[in-house]
Amino acid sequence: MSIAFPMFRGLSAFPITPTDAHGQVNTDGLVRLVQRLAAAEVDSIGLLGSTGTYAYLTRSERRRAIEAAVGCLDGRVPLIVGVGALRTDDAQDLARDAKAAGADGLLLAPVSYTPLTDDEVFEHFVAVAQATELPLCIYNNPGTTHFTFSDDLVVRLAEVPSIAAVKNPAPPPTEARARHEALRARVPSTFAIGYSGDWNTPNAVLAGGDAWYSVVGGLLPVPALGLLRTAQAGDEAEVARWNGRFQPLWDLFKELSSLRVMYAAADILGLCRAKPPRPILPLPPAAYRRVAAALETLDAGGR
Amino acid sequence: MSIAFPMFRGLSAFPITPTDAHGQVNTDGLVRLVQRLAAAEVDSIGLLGSTGTYAYLTRSERRRAIEAAVGCLDGRVPLIVGVGALRTDDAQDLARDAKAAGADGLLLAPVSYTPLTDDEVFEHFVAVAQATELPLCIYNNPGTTHFTFSDDLVVRLAEVPSIAAVKNPAPPPTEARARHEALRARVPSTFAIGYSGDWNTPNAVLAGGDAWYSVVGGLLPVPALGLLRTAQAGDEAEVARWNGRFQPLWDLFKELSSLRVMYAAADILGLCRAKPPRPILPLPPAAYRRVAAALETLDAGGR
């Protein structure tokens, strides 16, 4: 397989973006998280993804976050930056900012208020892709954008120069292979098909997926890499064993959202004490204790 | 019935906000639309609602729009202003701006990216309600915010001082009375229960609803008032006759979204030539012709 854009393959780790209560990025805290990912040798870093609360940050704070990450990475790990915005012109400006600040690739979600049509999303993506020459990954995240990309639309977008990858929600394991292969057959071999939704993604990689866009990998890159490498090696038994270690965390992700759980985990692990942007509230103490227990299960190698 | 806040009763007309391609408000165009509503003697004007594309406008442009509307209304019609934002602190700032610019009431939608919990929405609404003394209407618009208010949550919010009304999606006609009365029984008599979703709202007013938050009323206030007054008078046969005149427009609203249809209608009627904010695209010529035909049906008094 051709690997035109290696940044869209393997483990892409999505850290939270620590801020103060007014949405000002704590660049020291962010650099600590990014350094930890570089030290673990993740395959790429997904800055300002959904977990990185891009939607809640101003243009200038998003730029500060990128500059801080680029400054500390010094090219060691490819940096993919989320440039989603409600308005097309704003997303274009964010793409130009990301390029100017040193990003290696872009991640674009069709953020919506008024529900969008396929044609509107297509034109939006073409406009943002043309704003820079950086390779762009389609961010298909129906849970936050409320827009679902059909395979037809992905195929159409895959023909646009510089649109190089898709980040799809990982299907349930029983459907993963059929759905992956159906899309794989319709896009160029250079086009990368990756997945997110941590609990289902290892199976989607077993089914041929090119990348794991990972929330847990943004905070716990070492076990996430352990799990991913077994999936890349096609070792189903080892994937199942690793999934067992992660299971309590997967359950909390599904119940409380991975974003809220990661803020609690970052605090519990002593990595940073940021709160999510209001209106999102920090988890209450009882949920904190469940997150701590899930981290212990992972650390202990399973229940 | 006590009518503590008359602005949350009757026809609340929601105009589009004409802008240029960069999101700068055309205040002359907006004033023309607002004057037309005042001349028709609507019961209130809902500026910067979903149809007013508040979500796509900067804080400063939203302020300019309010100042333009306040300036031309000179107190003739109560002005309700949408102050929704993803961040709680931003929504608070927008509420203070609206108050400072002369708004009479606020409309707050729980705009979301990360899906919100009931407790998060409750705290968000309390924080914004406390930012000013203006009466506030809960904007329950699941189609754009992807958050649905339960009656339980509305009841909880109705206890907050200054939260004075709810704008609920109008239920299907067969369910309107039961659902209206179920909520009515649980909130203070001073709390207004109004509806939006133009095609179902006349029946929700027949069922006891206090207000019609109307997209079509923002452009065609005279026939909208004709329809509303028959519903307020409880005249089911006349409501059915009016609904027949509006039916082709209701069908287009459901198929193409009321926002896209209103931009086309404003152009067809020669009221303003604005385009919706990209990524939302203007309707294609074939759809324009269908909008023109629907306007003719309405004008002719039915098919």
Side-chain angles (χ1 to χ4, degrees):
Chain A
M1 182 189 296
S2 159
I3 48 166
F5 298 107
M7 85 185 85
F8 296 129
R9 295 168 201 273
L11 184 73
S12 190
F14 280 65
I16 62 171
T17 307
T19 67
D20 69 11
H22 308 290
Q24 185 165 9
V25 174
N26 169 357
T27 51
D28 289 347
L30 180 62
V31 162
R32 273 199 305 278
L33 295 173
V34 166
Q35 292 281 25
R36 179 178 164 87
L37 302 177
E41 299 184 12
V42 298
D43 297 303
S44 68
I45 292 172
L47 198 73
L48 299 172
S50 294
T51 303
T53 62
Y54 75 92
Y56 299 85
L57 301 177
T58 63
R59 179 179 175 184
S60 58
E61 290 303 314
R62 287 163 79 161
R63 173 102 188 213
R64 283 185 64 233
I66 304 166
E67 288 170 348
V70 168
C72 78
L73 281 172
D74 199 23
R76 284 175 294 164
V77 180
L79 189 71
I80 305 168
V81 172
V83 295
L86 270 179
R87 293 181 60 94
T88 301
D89 50 10
D90 287 343
Q92 289 177 308
D93 285 340
L94 290 162
R96 292 184 195 105
D97 285 357
K99 161 92 173 140
D104 299 295
L106 306 176
L107 184 66
L108 180 64
V111 184
S112 73
Y113 182 78
T114 297
L116 300 174
T117 66
D118 277 16
D119 283 343
E120 288 170 342
V121 169
F122 180 81
E123 295 298 336
H124 180 67
F125 272 66
V126 170
V128 178
Q130 290 176 343
T132 77
E133 316 83 55
L134 291 181
L136 185 149
C137 177
I138 301 163
Y139 193 170
N140 183 12
N141 192 354
T144 56
T145 65
H146 308 287
F147 181 86
T148 301
F149 284 84
S150 63
D151 278 4
D152 284 349
L153 183 54
V154 172
V155 168
R156 217 174 136 199
L157 284 167
E159 290 170 15
V160 176
S162 86
I163 298 188
V166 66
K167 169 184 182 299
N168 263 337
T174 53
E175 301 171 25
R177 186 166 301 272
R179 286 172 57 184
H180 179 76
E181 291 178 357
L183 179 57
R184 181 79 275 165
R186 298 182 61 194
V187 290
S189 63
T190 50
F191 186 85
I193 305 171
Y195 295 97
S196 61
D198 282 350
W199 50 91
N200 278 335
T201 300
N203 281 288
V205 171
L206 276 174
D210 296 309
W212 177 15
Y213 297 97
S214 176
V215 173
V216 80
L219 198 68
L220 302 168
V222 173
L225 279 166
L227 171 48
L228 178 72
R229 297 303 181 219
T230 64
Q232 288 176 317
D235 188 337
E236 293 190 31
E238 270 296 288
V239 168
R241 199 184 66 79
W242 272 103
N243 262 330
R245 291 176 60 177
F246 276 105
Q247 195 61 49
L249 213 46
W250 297 164
D251 291 343
L252 290 170
F253 280 14
K254 285 186 261 189
E255 179 186 339
L256 303 169
S257 88
S258 52
L259 182 138
R260 294 183 186 84
V261 171
M262 282 298 99
Y263 273 87
D267 189 0
I268 290 165
L269 295 172
L271 294 171
C272 76
R273 309 214 56 170
K275 291 176 181 170
R278 289 276 308 260
I280 307 167
L281 296 174
L283 292 179
Y288 248 70
R289 287 191 289 275
R290 292 166 66 203
V291 174
L295 293 172
E296 279 168 28
T297 301
L298 176 61
D299 210 36
R303 283 174 286 199
Chain B
M1 181 190 296
S2 159
I3 49 166
F5 297 107
M7 85 184 85
F8 296 129
R9 294 165 202 274
L11 183 74
S12 190
F14 280 65
I16 61 172
T17 307
T19 67
D20 69 11
H22 307 290
Q24 186 166 8
V25 175
N26 170 357
T27 51
D28 290 347
L30 180 62
V31 162
R32 275 199 305 279
L33 295 173
V34 166
Q35 293 281 25
R36 180 178 163 88
L37 302 178
E41 299 185 11
V42 298
D43 297 304
S44 68
I45 292 172
L47 197 74
L48 299 172
S50 293
T51 303
T53 62
Y54 75 92
Y56 298 85
L57 301 176
T58 63
R59 179 179 174 183
S60 58
E61 289 303 314
R62 287 163 79 161
R63 174 101 187 215
R64 283 185 65 234
I66 304 166
E67 287 169 348
V70 168
C72 78
L73 282 172
D74 199 25
R76 284 174 295 164
V77 180
L79 188 71
I80 306 168
V81 172
V83 294
L86 270 178
R87 294 181 59 94
T88 300
D89 50 9
D90 287 343
Q92 289 176 308
D93 285 340
L94 290 162
R96 291 185 196 104
D97 285 357
K99 161 91 174 143
D104 299 294
L106 305 176
L107 184 65
L108 180 63
V111 185
S112 74
Y113 182 78
T114 297
L116 300 174
T117 67
D118 276 17
D119 283 342
E120 288 169 342
V121 169
F122 180 80
E123 295 297 337
H124 180 67
F125 272 66
V126 170
V128 179
Q130 290 177 343
T132 77
E133 317 83 57
L134 291 180
L136 184 149
C137 177
I138 301 163
Y139 193 170
N140 183 12
N141 193 353
T144 56
T145 65
H146 309 286
F147 181 86
T148 301
F149 284 84
S150 64
D151 278 6
D152 284 348
L153 183 54
V154 172
V155 168
R156 216 175 136 197
L157 284 167
E159 291 170 15
V160 176
S162 87
I163 298 187
V166 66
K167 169 184 183 298
N168 264 336
T174 53
E175 300 171 25
R177 185 165 302 272
R179 285 172 58 183
H180 179 75
E181 290 178 356
L183 179 58
R184 181 79 275 165
R186 298 182 61 193
V187 290
S189 64
T190 51
F191 186 86
I193 305 172
Y195 294 97
S196 62
D198 282 350
W199 49 92
N200 278 334
T201 300
N203 281 288
V205 171
L206 276 174
D210 297 308
W212 177 14
Y213 297 96
S214 176
V215 173
V216 80
L219 198 68
L220 302 167
V222 173
L225 278 166
L227 171 49
L228 178 72
R229 298 302 181 220
T230 64
Q232 287 176 317
D235 189 336
E236 292 189 32
E238 270 297 289
V239 167
R241 198 183 67 79
W242 272 103
N243 262 331
R245 291 177 61 177
F246 275 104
Q247 195 60 50
L249 213 46
W250 296 165
D251 292 342
L252 290 170
F253 280 14
K254 285 187 260 190
E255 178 186 339
L256 303 169
S257 88
S258 52
L259 182 137
R260 293 184 186 85
V261 172
M262 283 298 99
Y263 272 87
D267 189 0
I268 290 165
L269 296 171
L271 294 171
C272 76
R273 308 213 57 169
K275 291 178 181 168
R278 290 275 309 261
I280 306 167
L281 296 174
L283 292 178
Y288 248 70
R289 288 191 290 274
R290 292 167 65 203
V291 175
L295 293 172
E296 279 168 28
T297 301
L298 176 60
D299 211 37
R303 282 175 288 197

